Amino acid sequence: MRLRAKVKLISYISASVLVIFGAGIVGFNMAGNYRTKMQYSYQRSLSQLSDYCSSIKTTLEKSSYANTPPQQYGLASKLMVEAEGAKNALSQLPVSQNDGEGIQKYLTQVGDFASFSIGKLSRNEKLSTDNKSALKKLSEYADNIAPKIEELSARFGDGEETIGKADTLKSNVGSDTDLNQKSSFDNSFLTVSKSFVDYPSLIYDGPFADSVQQKKPKLTEKAKEYSAEQARKILADFVNRNYRDITYRETRKGVLPVYVFEGDNLYGTVTVKGGYVCEVYNTDYPSDEGKIKYEEALKKAEDFLKRQKIYDMKDSYYVIHNSVCTINFAYSQNDTVCYGDLIKVGVSTVTGDIVSCNAEGLKVL
């Protein structure tokens, strides 16, 4: 081989090595930046969860001493928003179903009880002795849980310890056993969830009361089973996004099994049977002072339900908080309103966009 050819070959090889090396450095930096961004996102969500749990604790304490319907109504409205916010923050954390099932159920029942109380008070009905007993139980658990979540937030909020299993692995070195081990955050959250081992049954007639939760959902009982990929496309159509931008997270079991998905500023669930959308939350919306009033928000929420082919729903009450108007709709038939069958729709009072939809209350029909 002539000298010139050798020089060219060596030059090409050197250039190729440099390109590969450079691409590796860029890829490594991008991966590092992504992990850092995810950590910031997790820390923010954990901080929000802690704030909401502390607020729930305070609101429940005040509710225990509220005697007049206006006081009870105002506190129940605040409690409902706080519970929804806490559930939203929890959904953004890398917590498995088993580790987060207890607190998920608790937050759902707090929000449901608040919604049930609002509906009852808006019909000029008084809270019963059983209702007040349920409120006391919720408050007792808030006293126990809020400090633990606050401690978790303080511990993982400074970045010294990472949140999530994947971030604990270094340089892809480790055995299969390492991959299956829980991270420090997982173990810490599991400890919090164990506080709900003896969680009592709540006696009231809301859609998430234990007596209702134990029933098999008739809507999905004989329905066709969908795959996670089919459910992903259903959710994408529902929120008008490309399905490739939505990621499957896990399958949540229980009385109503659902697929759990997440995307950019998005959290959603779809039933395994029937392929019905249960929950959708847009986690990024403007929090400026909104100019949209209830009447306009109601029209947008009603149009949204019609687009989703959800009919015969009548607005029952609403709450405006943090630039979101959350409207509760109940199923109506022949002028009879079924207050147990609820669907909540959140409308941004700044942009008029739909930022949340929770149809879990419609699951037992």
Side-chain angles (χ1 to χ4, degrees), residues 295-312:
E295 291 74 17
E296 186 177 350
L298 173 62
K299 181 65 169 58
K300 291 182 180 295
E302 289 175 335
D303 290 343
F304 168 76
L305 292 178
K306 289 177 182 176
R307 289 197 302 272
Q308 306 305 332
K309 298 181 180 179
I310 301 174
Y311 305 109
D312 300 321

Side-chain angles (χ1 to χ4, degrees), residues 121-304:
L121 292 165
S122 67
R123 299 190 296 274
N124 295 320
E125 299 175 13
K126 293 184 178 181
L127 297 181
S128 67
T129 302
D130 285 341
N131 298 155
K132 293 178 180 179
S133 176
L135 180 64
K136 183 180 179 181
K137 289 177 181 178
L138 290 172
S139 182
E140 289 172 353
Y141 268 80
D143 290 341
N144 182 29
I145 295 304
K148 293 180 180 179
I149 298 295
E150 185 177 355
E151 182 181 343
L152 271 184
S153 179
R155 176 180 168 188
F156 289 92
D158 58 6
E160 291 295 323
E161 293 187 66
T162 54
I163 300 175
K165 256 190 303 190
D167 295 315
T168 64
L169 303 179
K170 297 180 180 179
S171 304
N172 294 323
V173 176
S175 64
D176 292 338
T177 304
D178 294 330
L179 291 171
N180 293 325
Q181 288 179 344
K182 289 180 177 293
S183 70
S184 177
F185 178 75
D186 294 329
N187 287 323
S188 298
F189 216 94
L190 182 58
T191 300
V192 174
S193 288
K194 285 181 178 178
S195 302
F196 293 93
V197 171
D198 299 321
Y199 185 57
S201 297
L202 295 185
I203 302 174
Y204 68 108
D205 52 355
F208 289 95
D210 286 281
S211 58
V212 178
Q213 286 286 288
Q214 293 164 5
K215 294 181 180 179
K216 290 185 177 180
K218 294 182 179 180
L219 181 65
T220 61
E221 190 174 11
K222 298 181 180 179
K224 166 189 171 184
E225 186 167 314
Y226 284 72
S227 68
E229 184 64 14
Q230 289 173 319
R232 183 166 72 127
K233 293 179 179 179
I234 290 172
L235 180 60
D237 290 339
F238 191 89
V239 297
N240 194 27
R241 290 198 189 186
N242 190 318
Y243 78 96
R244 293 185 180 86
D245 297 331
I246 297 175
T247 305
Y248 166 77
R249 179 161 146 182
E250 65 175 339
T251 301
R252 195 165 70 209
K253 299 180 181 179
V255 177
L256 184 69
V258 296
Y259 295 115
V260 180
F261 300 94
E262 58 186 8
D264 188 20
N265 300 316
L266 174 71
Y267 170 85
T269 62
V270 179
T271 60
V272 174
K273 286 189 174 183
Y276 299 107
V277 176
C278 262
E279 296 174 280
V280 173
Y281 293 100
N282 176 3
T283 59
D284 183 28
Y285 54 86
S287 57
D288 303 329
E289 185 177 351
K291 296 182 179 179
I292 295 176
K293 303 300 181 184
Y294 167 67
E295 291 74 17
E296 186 177 350
L298 173 62
K299 181 65 169 58
K300 291 182 180 295
E302 289 175 335
D303 290 343
F304 168 76

